[in-house]
Amino acid sequence: MAWSQDEERLLAQIEQRLVDEDPRLVARLESFNRRAGKSETRAKGPRRRLRRSTVIIAVSWLLIATLVTTLLILVLRHEAAAMALL
């Protein structure tokens, strides 16, 4: 939704007052905006790394679940064989 001319004028006045009253705040916000702009331009790299990390974690959990299942099967078979001998 577009802002009315009155709203834009009020915002410009507020911005100007903030600039006049607190130059340190302006410097911090400009620094933040520069850093935020850089991260937006490099957004593809982190997303790709995030997907890769997710796949690695999923595969790791799958391997762990397979190993635990295999160990449980071996232990239960061993106990069943021991019970059959008694």
Side-chain angles (χ1 to χ4, degrees):
M1 175 180 1
W3 296 24
S4 70
Q5 290 180 348
D6 289 335
E7 291 171 327
E8 288 183 19
R9 184 180 45 78
L10 286 173
L11 284 174
Q13 288 175 355
I14 292 170
E15 181 182 3
Q16 188 58 46
R17 285 183 190 152
L18 282 173
V19 167
D20 293 342
E21 292 176 9
D22 196 355
R24 287 179 54 205
L25 176 63
V26 173
R28 286 182 182 172
L29 290 174
E30 287 174 352
S31 172
F32 174 78
N33 287 336
R34 280 193 305 271
R35 282 188 254 149
K38 288 180 184 177
S39 66
E40 287 177 6
T41 58
R42 294 181 288 160
K44 284 188 176 181
R47 285 187 188 152
R48 183 177 297 158
R49 276 184 255 142
L50 181 63
R51 278 191 239 133
R52 188 180 305 150
S53 305
T54 305
V55 169
I56 290 171
I57 290 170
V59 169
S60 299
W61 276 107
L62 183 63
L63 286 172
I64 290 170
T66 303
L67 287 171
V68 168
T69 304
T70 304
L71 287 173
L72 282 173
I73 290 170
L74 290 173
V75 167
L76 292 175
R77 281 188 182 174
H78 179 70
E79 287 179 4
M83 294 294 250
L85 292 175
L86 295 177

